[in-house]
Amino acid sequence: MLLSGITNDSKDPSVDTFRSTTLPILKHFGVPSEGRDLKIECRGALPHGGGDVFLSVPTVRSSLTVSFFI
């Protein structure tokens, strides 16, 4: 999937933050690491954006129960 727009902004988490935090968490939801990737083709900033990011997330064919303990 191609995502276009702003990749770096001081008010929002950057695409680098997403890659280093959100992608690894997906393994806890049954998403395998094989085929899971994020490639930054070019960066974009305010006001015009212009960044391009390719996101690949494999399809999960079985459900997984996730429990959270407080």
Side-chain angles (χ1 to χ4, degrees):
M1 170 187 305
L2 173 64
L3 304 171
S4 298
I6 298 168
T7 59
N8 297 79
D9 181 21
S10 62
K11 296 178 184 173
D12 297 310
S14 71
V15 69
D16 300 296
T17 302
F18 180 84
R19 178 173 41 195
S20 64
T21 59
T22 305
L23 285 182
I25 290 173
L26 290 178
K27 70 180 178 184
H28 298 291
F29 293 93
V31 178
S33 58
E34 296 170 8
R36 187 179 60 204
D37 193 27
L38 186 140
K39 294 180 184 176
I40 303 167
E41 291 294 313
C42 62
R43 294 184 179 271
L46 285 173
H48 302 293
D52 287 327
V53 175
F54 288 96
L55 176 64
S56 299
V57 179
T59 302
V60 177
R61 302 228 180 253
S62 62
S63 63
L64 175 69
T65 302
V66 178
S67 300
F68 293 96
F69 298 98
I70 298 176

